[in-house]
Amino acid sequence: MSGCGCDAPRHGQNLMPVSEALGKLLDQATVTAEIEEVSLAAALGRVLAEDQLSGVDVPPRDNSAMDGYAVRCSDLKNSSRLAISQRIPAGTAPTALEPGTAARIFTGSEIPDGADAVVMQEDTCSESDDAGNTWVQINSEPGVGNNIREQGQDVKTGQTVMPAGTRLQAAHLGVLASVGVGMVKVYRPLKVAIVTTGDELVMPGNPLKPGQIYNSNLFTIQGLLQGMGCEIVDLGIIEDTFVGTQDALKRASEQADCIISSGGVSVGEEDHVKTAVESLGELSLWKMAIKPGKPMAFGFVNGTPILGLPGNPSSVLVTFTVLARPYLLKMQGNGQFLPNSFAVEAGFSRTKTTARQEYLRVELQDGCAVLGRSQSSGVLSSAVTAAGYLVVPENAQVREGDQLTFIPFSEVTN
């Protein structure tokens, strides 16, 4: 039986390489201009709209990295037994260290003036008499600066601790709190309308009739958008008619900053998204050299951008994470919109090639990428056990041991 020609460009329609398509998408991503101020407690996942500068040094004073004794190193040249002149718990302001004495000190406590080292308590032994006098025997010779965290070691006053465009995660919030920031200016969350097409679709929880399937794409897209901090407008399942599709896209364009559709972007008689977009605006990109997901489209409906994803479940996942996600992140003002990746060895061989750049769902075993259960565009379950995508360039065979780009799912699904 002859091939179906799925990987071959149709007459007069060359497939656009993924890198070129991504570049064109990012060139057209416009950052929302609306900014709001929120508390640090409400800022997780939001994108900073301005640089954050520190008004303090962190730590604010030299402090101890250990429980032990603060000493003046020169005093130990005369005697390794020193009287304990003060006790410095964390949060207590010390007095200057008396010459020839040591100060009992705890982790995080401020170093007293005059002290230039901390000896950890494991290298000492202490004693006291009936009159309440205490001494410490220093059993190791410290160097100047030992076990002292210097003022401003982490952050200095006036330093930019976080640039605009940072998407705030837990560690970012901790750093901002450490310099006393309580409120931050962030971009307004992106509002995204989801349009799922297909008369065969049924919402989970309802019984299936012959010829029907559950609407999994809605929940995949919704989950990915929620992970990015977007607000969601669900237009529901749209009937497979031109008028119904056109009406849904009009409503979506009026309610959201961006539209994401699934299904209806191919060339079948029941595929109406492409023609509806063209009737309401323009289609800028269509058909890309990506597998799975060739029919993905991009355009504008009454000035509102639309990302038209294919209908197959794995095609939705791949095209969203590889192409739609960077576009949406840039629209949110995020300065880091491309995922981190690294090279891994292929743990399999494959002689079959495709004219499209392929994103294989793979598992990692002993540092090598091995194929998941199924690479069919209609099979989503293989993504559950996969660790990420192995990127196979156009027209490339895979030989075991080849170094190929690996994109962890943690980089594209959070």
Side-chain angles (χ1 to χ4, degrees):
M1 185 172 109
S2 61
C4 67
C6 292
D7 289 328
R10 293 180 182 272
H11 179 68
Q13 294 179 334
N14 291 322
L15 299 180
M16 183 177 291
V18 174
S19 59
E20 183 180 347
L22 181 58
K24 289 182 179 293
L25 279 171
L26 293 175
D27 286 344
Q28 297 185 72
T30 303
V31 178
T32 176
E34 295 182 37
I35 295 171
E36 56 189 26
E37 192 169 33
V38 301
S39 70
L40 206 58
L44 184 68
R46 304 295 294 275
V47 178
L48 286 177
E50 63 180 16
D51 293 348
Q52 294 295 304
L53 308 181
S54 176
V56 299
D57 287 339
V58 180
R61 293 290 303 271
D62 291 356
N63 71 75
S64 178
M66 297 283 181
D67 289 350
Y69 295 87
V71 300
R72 183 184 287 104
C73 290
S74 60
D75 287 341
L76 295 171
K77 294 179 180 178
N78 300 319
S79 174
S80 60
R81 185 173 182 269
L82 302 173
I84 301 173
S85 57
Q86 61 178 306
R87 186 175 184 273
I88 313 172
T92 301
T95 60
L97 184 66
E98 297 176 17
T101 70
R104 180 69 169 116
I105 198 166
F106 301 88
T107 303
S109 298
E110 186 176 320
I111 301 295
D113 289 342
D116 55 15
V118 171
V119 181
M120 68 174 67
Q121 64 184 26
E122 291 86 346
D123 293 333
T124 68
C125 57
S126 60
E127 58 182 275
S128 60
D129 59 22
D130 293 340
N133 300 309
T134 56
W135 295 267
V136 61
Q137 176 68 40
I138 306 297
N139 297 325
S140 65
E141 185 175 348
V144 172
N146 278 14
N147 300 318
I148 292 178
R149 295 185 290 218
E150 296 182 353
Q151 177 178 340
Q153 180 186 69
D154 187 7
V155 180
K156 296 187 182 301
T157 301
Q159 177 183 335
T160 299
V161 292
M162 231 158 280
T166 300
R167 185 169 171 233
L168 298 173
Q169 302 300 320
H172 296 113
L173 300 184
V175 170
L176 291 173
S178 76
V179 299
V181 172
M183 302 287 292
V184 288
K185 289 184 178 180
V186 293
Y187 291 108
R188 173 181 61 79
L190 205 62
K191 188 177 290 186
V192 182
I194 305 176
V195 176
T196 51
T197 67
D199 290 340
E200 76 279 13
L201 298 179
V202 176
M203 291 298 289
N206 296 303
L208 289 177
K209 296 178 181 179
Q212 293 183 328
I213 59 173
Y214 287 119
N215 186 6
S216 64
N217 288 345
L218 169 63
F219 293 90
T220 298
I221 297 169
Q222 186 172 275
L224 291 166
L225 289 172
Q226 287 174 335
M228 296 171 59
C230 297
E231 292 184 8
I232 296 170
V233 179
D234 180 13
L235 273 292
I237 300 170
I238 309 305
E239 63 180 20
D240 277 332
T241 66
F242 174 77
V243 173
T245 304
Q246 190 181 55
D247 176 66
L249 294 181
K250 282 181 183 177
R251 289 186 285 119
S253 70
E254 294 166 357
Q255 299 179 51
D257 303 304
C258 183
I259 306 165
I260 292 185
S261 66
S262 71
V265 290
S266 193
V267 292
E269 293 178 5
E270 301 299 320
D271 293 324
H272 302 290
V273 171
K274 176 179 178 291
T275 52
V277 170
E278 290 173 325
S279 73
L280 298 169
E282 63 173 320
L283 199 66
S284 302
L285 302 174
W286 184 49
K287 289 194 174 180
M288 303 170 194
I290 186 170
K291 184 177 182 181
K294 178 180 68 174
M296 180 176 171
F298 172 76
F300 294 88
V301 174
N302 295 332
T304 301
I306 177 170
L307 294 150
L309 310 185
N312 281 321
S314 284
S315 297
V316 166
L317 182 66
V318 170
T319 52
F320 185 102
T321 52
V322 174
L323 293 167
R325 186 175 189 273
Y327 175 82
L328 294 171
L329 287 174
K330 189 173 180 183
M331 282 191 74
Q332 287 181 307
N334 198 322
Q336 177 62 42
F337 40 78
L338 296 178
N340 293 311
S341 61
F342 55 92
V344 301
E345 285 189 8
F348 62 95
S349 296
R350 197 182 65 173
T351 58
K352 179 184 176 182
T353 65
T354 172
R356 294 178 278 163
Q357 183 158 290
E358 192 166 7
Y359 290 79
L360 300 174
R361 282 89 72 198
V362 296
E363 301 169 22
L364 294 182
Q365 295 181 5
D366 299 324
C368 294
V370 297
L371 290 174
R373 288 177 289 175
S374 174
Q375 301 300 317
S376 169
S377 60
V379 174
L380 186 60
S381 60
S382 57
V384 175
T385 56
Y389 298 129
L390 190 69
V391 184
V392 180
E394 303 95 324
N395 303 309
Q397 293 184 344
V398 179
R399 292 179 296 273
E400 188 170 352
D402 281 353
Q403 293 281 329
L404 294 171
T405 298
F406 173 75
I407 304 173
F409 277 156
S410 59
E411 284 290 311
V412 292
T413 58
N414 297 323

